[in-house]
Amino acid sequence: MRTITHVALSAALVLAAGAAAQAQTVITRPVQTETVVTTQGPLVLSPTERQLVYRNVVRERVVQQAPATVGAAPVVEYRVGTRIPAGVTLYDVPQTVVTEVPAVSRYRYMYVNNRAWLVDPATSEIVYEVME
């Protein structure tokens, strides 16, 4: 009799657990993404403009501070078209350059690993590698 009672009780518990599992509701929410649309074409500078930007940015060279990290620092590859990480400091293009090359007025620059990059601050996207 005792065995029958244990079997009946076990069966009741299994059935109750199954019913509870079926009664659970899973709520999913769509992931919100942000779309950034740029309406301007790629930045094109003449050799003279490129040299002017390069010389002035190098003249005003700033020391890029390494971000404080715990553990190994992430490896970031910089190239035109990529977005920069959130902790990178951007600097205003010198006013003398903006006067001579108005096309760079909407951009800021960063200087990383002895290389200068123009960045669109609205999208955090690298738009031009400044070379001599």
Side-chain angles (χ1 to χ4, degrees):
M1 179 83 167
R2 196 174 223 188
T3 306
I4 294 174
T5 305
H6 288 297
V7 170
L9 184 57
S10 296
L13 287 174
V14 169
L15 289 176
Q22 290 176 351
Q24 292 179 354
T25 303
V26 177
I27 298 173
T28 59
R29 294 185 180 141
V31 176
Q32 293 183 359
T33 59
E34 182 177 323
T35 303
V36 177
V37 178
T38 56
T39 57
Q40 294 193 358
L43 179 63
V44 178
L45 298 177
S46 71
T48 305
E49 292 172 329
R50 185 177 65 236
Q51 191 174 45
L52 178 78
V53 172
Y54 178 81
R55 288 193 177 157
N56 280 281
V57 166
V58 169
R59 187 179 308 137
E60 289 197 15
R61 184 182 308 184
V62 294
V63 176
Q64 186 73 30
Q65 296 178 352
T69 58
V70 176
V75 175
V76 178
E77 182 182 342
Y78 295 107
R79 65 178 182 275
V80 173
T82 60
R83 294 185 193 270
I84 61 171
V88 177
T89 303
L90 297 176
Y91 300 94
D92 292 329
V93 175
Q95 191 59 42
T96 55
V97 174
V98 172
T99 303
E100 295 289 325
V101 187
V104 300
S105 65
R106 64 184 289 247
Y107 302 112
R108 300 185 84 195
Y109 78 93
M110 66 179 186
Y111 199 81
V112 179
N113 296 332
N114 296 322
R115 295 170 81 179
W117 304 90
L118 289 179
V119 178
D120 184 344
T123 62
S124 297
E125 185 175 304
I126 296 174
V127 295
Y128 198 83
E129 180 179 6
V130 183
M131 298 180 286
E132 190 166 18

